[in-house]
Amino acid sequence: MMKVELNVNGKPVTADVPENTLLVHLLREHLRLTGTHVGCDTAQCGACTVIANGRSIKSCNVLAAQMQGAQITTIEGVAAADGTPHPLQAAFNDCHGLQCGYCTPGMVMSAIDLLAHNKNASQAEIREQLEGNFCRCTGYQNIVKAVQQAQKTMTA
Amino acid sequence: MYAFTFERPATLADAAKLAKAGGKLLAGGQTLLASMKLRLAAPEQLIDLGGIRELAGIRKEGNRLVIGAMTRHADVAESKEVQTAIPALAELAARIGDKQVRAMGTLGGSLANNDPAADYPAAALALGATLVTTQREITADDFFQGLFVTALNESELITAVRWPIPKRAAYIKFPQPASRFALIGVFVAQTDGGVRVAVTGGGNGVFRHAELERALDKSFTPAAVADVKTDASELNGDLHGSAEYRAHLIGVMAQRAVAKAVG
């Protein structure tokens, strides 16, 4: 067992976990933050995407122990304090940017990172930057539309 | 995942000591952790290098860039220093894997792993980089020794890579569409010591291409390499592309890379 101290969604967290605990399992099983999904468990699908120290990462491909001292944001931490959805959450809702919804938390976290680093991303850049996230329903058209709509509201 | 022990040393000396005792070094983990899940690797102890501050960072030293081994791909891609001094290197880093992988994956990890289809080995070999380790300095020409094999010994860590700044350089890869690994990637560099061309994705590890270098030394133009053929019998094929297809791709990627380098 080892002690991991990090910050999740603005709150300090200390967890005693086995050394082989993946970040996604720390989030889901120890902190009960089940919005972050495990899809492929092989770092391909991106359903487990969270933001760590300002960049999106795949939490199934990182050990919790590697994240000692990190600032983590999960899908549970992106809405405003009064519950108002993040502009990307609102846009995924408006544009029907989801079908089954399994990939959505990862898509939203990946898109938050995308717009934070490239707020004027073109449609081609949005598609390229979301390449680490799979939608098995193949609903990519509306996902890209949602990111573009959020881009407008966030830069307005 | 199976059980293992985990160490997070704060100094290089401690990391080297643990490595000598048999631990496996963990850089970004983007290859190693996935390999461990599949039991392609099964170390009993991981030594996380993420806590050693001196291993990350980018600085210019005279006519060279020095990049710390734990510098993430995303940091190389976004670095103004790299974009200005060796734009081809920044662009290469921006196209490794996907952006989540680039946020964790590191320069040193990629070089030490020496995947036969990885991008960084092509840059290191074509630019004539020097790998600085805890024990010595190794030129890229001596470092890469074939499929996942390098000159590193068990207890040796890469600490930084020194990149001579070329006159002109470019890297073009034909990415495997799912993984973004190179089916073939060609890095061309016009250096003070002549033209150097490195090819990745051919199957047995990164290699220099003497015929392309000779042709480009005479004339650094895409037309100069249009007729340079590569012997397919020295390449490997797989379900993504035959050896003959890859041999052809080398010529095409080389022409595109030279066109890009001459702008």
Side-chain angles (χ1 to χ4, degrees):
Chain A
M1 298 291 280
M2 64 181 299
K3 191 179 189 181
V4 179
E5 293 181 59
L6 66 177
N7 185 299
V8 179
N9 298 330
K11 296 185 196 110
V13 168
T14 302
D16 282 308
V17 294
E19 287 81 351
N20 62 0
T21 305
L22 297 167
L23 176 61
V24 69
H25 293 138
L26 171 72
L27 296 172
R28 287 179 57 86
E29 291 165 20
H30 295 262
L31 306 180
R32 309 305 293 171
L33 295 170
T34 54
T36 303
H37 292 168
V38 183
C40 66
D41 194 30
T42 53
Q44 299 178 69
C45 81
C48 66
T49 299
V50 300
I51 293 182
N53 299 327
R55 285 208 175 104
S56 57
I57 62 166
K58 294 181 179 176
S59 62
C60 83
N61 204 31
V62 174
L63 295 170
Q66 282 175 283
M67 289 288 117
Q68 198 73 259
Q71 303 276 334
I72 309 285
T73 306
T74 70
I75 192 70
E76 290 89 347
V78 301
D82 66 359
T84 307
H86 184 281
L88 269 156
Q89 291 176 303
F92 269 71
N93 186 20
D94 290 348
C95 299
H96 197 64
L98 61 150
Q99 290 172 37
C100 82
Y102 197 86
C103 72
T104 311
M107 284 286 179
V108 170
M109 299 315 289
S110 187
I112 288 174
D113 177 28
L114 189 173
L115 293 181
H117 285 90
N118 189 1
K119 65 178 190 253
N120 299 315
S122 66
Q123 192 198 102
E125 285 170 333
I126 290 169
R127 288 180 184 277
E128 193 184 317
Q129 293 284 308
L130 288 178
E131 69 187 345
N133 293 77
F134 297 168
C135 167
R136 286 288 66 133
C137 309
T138 69
Y140 294 105
Q141 304 295 354
N142 286 353
I143 289 170
V144 174
K145 252 186 234 165
V147 178
Q148 289 180 300
Q149 179 179 310
Q151 192 175 26
K152 285 196 196 99
T153 56
M154 288 167 78
T155 49
Chain B
M1 184 105 69
Y2 70 90
F4 51 81
T5 60
F6 185 93
E7 296 290 339
R8 191 175 163 92
T11 67
L12 263 179
D14 286 347
K17 210 177 292 168
L18 288 160
K20 195 168 188 183
K24 176 81 176 167
L25 298 165
L26 174 69
Q30 298 304 283
T31 299
L32 181 55
L33 295 173
S35 304
M36 287 168 64
K37 287 184 190 176
L38 296 169
R39 303 296 189 275
L40 296 171
E44 290 170 14
Q45 180 181 61
L46 290 181
I47 308 160
D48 180 16
L49 301 176
I52 306 175
R53 284 168 189 273
E54 65 194 279
L55 284 177
I58 298 169
R59 62 181 192 278
K60 201 163 165 222
E61 277 181 9
N63 60 350
R64 291 169 176 164
L65 273 184
V66 181
I67 304 182
M70 281 295 288
T71 310
R72 316 277 169 178
H73 307 327
D75 290 321
V76 174
E78 289 170 13
S79 159
K80 293 278 175 276
E81 291 267 4
V82 182
Q83 288 171 0
T84 306
I86 317 180
L89 187 60
E91 287 169 25
L92 174 149
R95 287 182 177 78
I96 298 171
D98 55 49
K99 78 175 184 311
Q100 291 99 318
V101 166
R102 294 192 289 272
M104 286 302 295
T106 67
L107 170 63
S110 171
L111 294 173
N113 190 45
N114 193 18
D115 187 293
D119 299 307
Y120 268 134
L125 193 56
L127 291 167
T130 300
L131 290 87
V132 183
T133 79
T134 43
Q135 299 173 11
R136 57 192 162 143
E137 296 187 358
I138 311 173
T139 63
D141 283 303
D142 293 331
F143 183 81
F144 301 107
Q145 302 185 348
L147 210 62
F148 297 108
V149 180
T150 71
L152 289 172
N153 62 46
E154 289 298 314
S155 59
E156 189 173 20
L157 285 73
I158 303 172
T159 58
V161 179
R162 285 207 299 261
W163 307 84
I165 296 170
K167 292 176 196 154
R168 293 187 286 197
Y171 175 66
I172 299 281
K173 73 169 159 178
F174 192 100
Q176 200 278 331
S179 71
R180 300 301 194 261
F181 273 100
L183 274 189
I184 283 293
V186 177
F187 200 115
V188 299
Q190 207 175 24
T191 72
D192 291 337
V195 174
R196 293 171 64 103
V197 180
V199 178
T200 187
N204 290 316
V206 67
F207 62 90
R208 284 177 68 183
H209 199 302
E211 293 84 0
L212 287 172
E213 290 181 355
R214 266 198 297 278
L216 290 169
D217 263 325
K218 282 187 201 137
S219 165
F220 196 72
T221 60
V225 290
D227 295 325
V228 176
K229 299 274 181 265
T230 302
D231 183 358
S233 69
E234 292 179 20
L235 304 178
N236 283 352
D238 60 20
L239 79 168
H240 303 300
S242 65
E244 291 73 21
Y245 181 66
R246 282 183 157 87
H248 179 71
L249 272 183
I250 290 173
V252 177
M253 296 301 113
Q255 290 176 66
R256 290 185 192 171
V258 176
K260 185 158 191 212
V262 298

